[in-house]
Amino acid sequence: MGANLAQEERDAILNHPGTRRLEKNTGFDPAWLPFGLQLRSSAPADFAINLQRVESGVAIHILRYDYRSEQDKVPTLDELNLKLRLPGNFGNLEVFSPSDAPQVELEVSDDLYHLALKNIPLYSIILLKV
């Protein structure tokens, strides 16, 4: 890795205190992240979450993948609780979805944001605003 870099640049990366060298086929352990996990979910669910900084705050994109062939759709998920570690001061939120938007309650404790979601559709965006 980094074989295309100048030796000085490569050494700077390899000798950085945040660099971890692994043997081939070694899996990634989230415990290695410098500040721990950024997101925790209350239950296993088949979804993807992407955080995007935007001018007014942070957009949390939620995309669900639990397609049910017998129903030919992704059914609404009744409930999901998320704990998100995020620097900043976001006290308001807006919710968007191409279908019925989920219900969201927000609790903030220091840099930990607790999001209690209900009736989560296939796709939604939660905008945490400054």
Side-chain angles (χ1 to χ4, degrees):
M1 190 159 134
N4 61 329
L5 299 175
Q7 189 63 43
E8 185 177 304
E9 289 177 283
R10 188 170 188 234
D11 288 344
I13 293 170
L14 291 173
N15 296 319
H16 187 277
T19 298
R20 179 179 297 268
R21 292 181 188 214
L22 303 174
E23 296 298 320
K24 263 187 172 176
N25 301 321
T26 301
F28 177 75
D29 184 348
W32 297 336
L33 295 171
F35 301 105
L37 294 176
Q38 184 176 25
L39 177 76
R40 293 184 189 268
S41 169
S42 62
D46 196 1
F47 64 90
I49 293 184
N50 181 57
L51 305 175
Q52 179 66 48
R53 285 274 186 187
V54 295
E55 189 174 318
S56 60
V58 175
I60 304 167
H61 296 256
I62 302 173
L63 178 59
R64 298 191 36 247
Y65 291 102
D66 45 350
Y67 174 77
R68 303 287 187 252
S69 59
E70 65 279 359
Q71 297 172 329
D72 192 27
K73 69 176 186 176
V74 173
T76 300
L77 183 62
D78 293 335
E79 184 176 299
L80 184 65
N81 293 301
L82 302 174
K83 289 183 181 178
L84 175 65
R85 186 181 41 76
L86 189 65
N89 187 18
F90 309 102
N92 299 306
L93 62 84
E94 284 186 61
V95 184
F96 306 91
S97 178
S99 60
D100 293 330
Q103 299 167 353
V104 183
E105 290 184 18
L106 173 66
E107 284 185 34
V108 182
S109 176
D110 295 324
D111 66 347
L112 192 60
Y113 293 80
H114 300 262
L115 298 161
L117 293 87
K118 293 187 182 204
N119 303 319
I120 305 105
L122 168 69
Y123 178 69
S124 51
I125 300 169
I126 300 165
L127 177 60
L128 295 179
K129 297 168 60 173
V130 179

